[in-house]
Amino acid sequence: MTVRPVEVICLEDQQHEKCKLLGQILDRIGDKWTIMAVGALSGGPMRFNELMRRIGGVSHRMLTLTLRGLERDGMVRRTAYPTIPPKVEYELTPLGRSLTEPLAILLQWGEKHSGEIETARNVFDQSRN
Amino acid sequence: MTVRPVEVICLEDQQHEKCKLLGQILDRIGDKWTIMAVGALSGGPMRFNELMRRIGGVSHRMLTLTLRGLERDGMVRRTAYPTIPPKVEYELTPLGRSLTEPLAILLQWGEKHSGEIETARNVFDQSRN
DNA sequence: CTGTATCCTTCGAGATACTG
DNA sequence: CAGTATCTCGAAGGATACAG
């Protein structure tokens, strides 16, 4: 049994456990297609194929898996109408909508600092031939 | 911190430009080790091996790659002391520290809603035997 | 239209060993 | 101590075909 230090500093003087939780959150919602799906649905309910067209570049299979994951986590509600051909609508739940707030803040950060990052990259890449 | 309407995440008539930017941000900073490294460094400068011990479970190679990426993006400053054996210190730049703010907000969201997500998962898994 | 199953390729990441 | 280079394996994700 190894002894682990507990006093690991994390975000804003919190402990290491916080980082792990953050990692879990990002595991859930941090991937490309999940973000795109949440973004697309933030405007209102949408059908499967419409989502696929809106997002663009996503495979049939990955969109299905992404939506299943969001549904499982309670972020998206799936409503199937037993018509022929079938019609399925997806929409954000209140939980899903609540996610858009921290994401919007992260987006603001990105918009504010993307230039800085771009510059830093160029400098870094220059300094390596 | 002002909370803007959810539509800020993704404006449909902009072809998901916002989503794409958000996707790029998450590509950069959304992976497990990057978060852990930023978290660990948020407490102050740290040497390579100390970082590795603090983070725990990260391979030598991945920590190196993670730190290179952060350095390239201007989030981390690397300072090498030409001693024998070598000593290298890593620390967050102002840009890197600024990232901890939106991350802390995302973390708060996670803390607030993790129970809800857990419940949703159990319900979903139950409904599929 | 929507969902699932299968195949197949690619890529990420750990292990390891070696260098300065 | 810190960094780099290979090797390898397994998982992620696209393409495709088929079903309801």
Side-chain angles (χ1 to χ4, degrees):
Chain A
M1 192 85 172
T2 54
V3 179
R4 289 184 31 195
V6 263
E7 47 299 311
V8 175
I9 302 297
C10 194
L11 296 176
E12 301 185 347
D13 290 339
Q14 293 162 344
Q15 293 185 349
H16 203 61
E17 286 306 314
K18 306 282 186 180
C19 282
K20 288 179 182 166
L21 175 55
L22 198 45
Q24 288 167 20
I25 299 168
L26 288 165
D27 272 349
R28 285 194 194 100
I29 58 97
D31 73 285
K32 189 179 173 187
W33 300 134
T34 297
I35 292 298
M36 298 292 272
V38 171
L41 290 173
S42 70
M46 209 175 294
R47 296 181 60 174
F48 186 88
N49 268 5
E50 190 182 357
L51 264 172
M52 195 152 137
R53 281 192 303 273
R54 281 280 169 87
I55 292 176
V58 64
S59 71
H60 193 157
R61 179 175 167 274
M62 284 314 295
L63 182 55
T64 301
L65 291 177
T66 298
L67 290 169
R68 280 302 156 281
L70 285 169
E71 189 192 357
R72 178 170 184 255
D73 287 344
M75 316 271 281
V76 157
R77 175 166 37 250
R78 174 183 183 274
T79 311
Y81 301 92
T83 56
I84 293 177
K87 171 181 172 177
V88 181
E89 272 202 342
Y90 291 92
E91 65 182 322
L92 291 184
T93 62
L95 177 60
R97 273 193 298 278
S98 76
L99 216 210
T100 62
E101 293 166 12
L103 288 183
I105 289 168
L106 191 57
L107 181 59
Q108 286 172 23
W109 180 89
E111 290 176 326
K112 184 173 176 186
H113 296 288
S114 61
E116 250 178 291
I117 293 174
E118 189 63 26
T119 301
R121 287 191 168 191
N122 292 334
V123 169
F124 184 88
D125 293 347
Q126 280 300 320
S127 73
R128 301 216 155 186
N129 64 350
Chain B
M1 192 73 69
T2 56
V3 176
R4 295 207 260 153
V6 293
E7 288 76 16
V8 74
I9 291 295
C10 191
L11 299 176
E12 293 158 10
D13 55 4
Q14 291 181 359
Q15 296 173 343
H16 283 240
E17 285 307 315
K18 305 273 186 180
C19 283
K20 287 177 184 166
L21 175 55
L22 198 46
Q24 288 167 21
I25 298 168
L26 288 165
D27 272 350
R28 285 193 195 99
I29 58 97
D31 74 286
K32 187 178 173 186
W33 300 134
T34 297
I35 292 299
M36 298 291 272
V38 170
L41 290 173
S42 69
M46 209 175 293
R47 295 181 61 174
F48 185 88
N49 271 3
E50 190 183 357
L51 263 173
M52 196 152 134
R53 281 192 302 273
R54 282 277 172 96
I55 293 177
V58 64
S59 69
H60 192 157
R61 178 175 168 273
M62 285 314 295
L63 183 55
T64 301
L65 291 177
T66 298
L67 290 170
R68 279 302 157 280
L70 285 169
E71 189 193 357
R72 178 169 184 257
D73 288 343
M75 316 271 282
V76 159
R77 176 167 35 251
R78 175 182 181 276
T79 312
Y81 301 92
T83 57
I84 293 177
K87 172 181 172 178
V88 180
E89 271 201 343
Y90 291 92
E91 65 182 321
L92 292 184
T93 61
L95 177 59
R97 273 193 299 278
S98 76
L99 216 209
T100 62
E101 294 166 13
L103 288 184
I105 289 171
L106 191 56
L107 181 59
Q108 284 171 26
W109 180 89
E111 289 175 327
K112 185 173 177 186
H113 296 288
S114 61
E116 250 178 291
I117 293 173
E118 190 63 26
T119 301
R121 285 190 170 191
N122 292 334
V123 169
F124 184 88
D125 293 347
Q126 279 301 319
S127 72
R128 303 214 156 186
N129 325 2

